[in-house]
Amino acid sequence: IVGADEFVCQKRVYVDINSTFFASKKWAIHPPPGDVKIERDTVVKVEGEASLKITTAWPTIVCLAEVTGLDIEAAKLIYKAKVKTALDGDVFLEMWVAVGGGLYFSKGLNDRVKGKSEWKSIQTPFMFQQGQKPEKATLNLVINGKGTVWIDDIVLSKEPLK
């Protein structure tokens, strides 16, 4: 668990996603820094109209969404996605959650995809105990290397604690 100072990232790329993101797959992409290209790919996809294709010349973090209004307490929040890679390095999911004035994270370090791969499902969970209610969840894709990553079928779900 780390504080908010650890949340700052110098090479963060934001992809604004409207509230119908999970249904429509219509990303509003702002121009990223020169050596990072983000685009919709209507050919390489798992389902729907398109996947999101990210090509980068260096390690970067892509912020896919900031979600508020989550109705969750004493449960597990799970951020899942399918990724395909052509990468010199690895990729994983990262979720930052604002709870009770603090900022905490969950990183899918045990569920990485490395090198060149076909579509693979990956996830990272965040556990909320009784009395813990999130104000916001930030969903990131962490790319440790250079190359291309496709992400599709992104899901944020709630499961009971076991």
Side-chain angles (χ1 to χ4, degrees), residues 8 26 32 46 50 53 65 71 77 82 84 86-87 91-92 94 100 108 111 132-133 137 141 149 151 154 161:
V8 178
K26 293 181 181 174
V46 173
K53 179 181 176 183
D71 182 22
L77 185 64
K82 291 183 179 155
K84 178 179 176 170
L87 191 63
V91 63
F92 61 89
E94 173 185 77
D111 207 5
Q132 292 180 319
K133 295 181 183 179
L141 179 68
V149 177
I151 186 166
I154 301 166
L161 291 176

Side-chain angles (χ1 to χ4, degrees), residues 1-2 19 38 46 52 61-62 75 81 93 122 124 130 141 144:
I1 298 175
V2 299
S19 62
I38 301 174
V46 173
L52 188 65
I61 298 173
V62 179
L93 300 178
I122 59 176
T124 190
Q130 190 67 36
L141 179 68
N144 287 321

Side-chain angles (χ1 to χ4, degrees), residues 77 79 92-97 104-109 123-127 138:
L77 185 64
Y79 167 28
F92 61 89
L93 300 178
E94 173 185 77
M95 177 169 40
W96 284 85
V97 180
Y104 308 95
F105 68 84
S106 173
K107 294 184 179 196
L109 296 175
Q123 68 179 13
T124 190
F126 196 98
M127 316 301 184
T138 302

Side-chain angles (χ1 to χ4, degrees), residues 9-10 17 22 29 42-43 49 63 73 110 128 132 134 152:
C9 178
Q10 292 178 335
I17 301 171
F22 296 110
I29 302 169
T42 58
V43 176
E49 293 178 19
C63 180
E73 182 180 358
N110 292 329
F128 293 94
Q132 292 180 319
D152 201 357

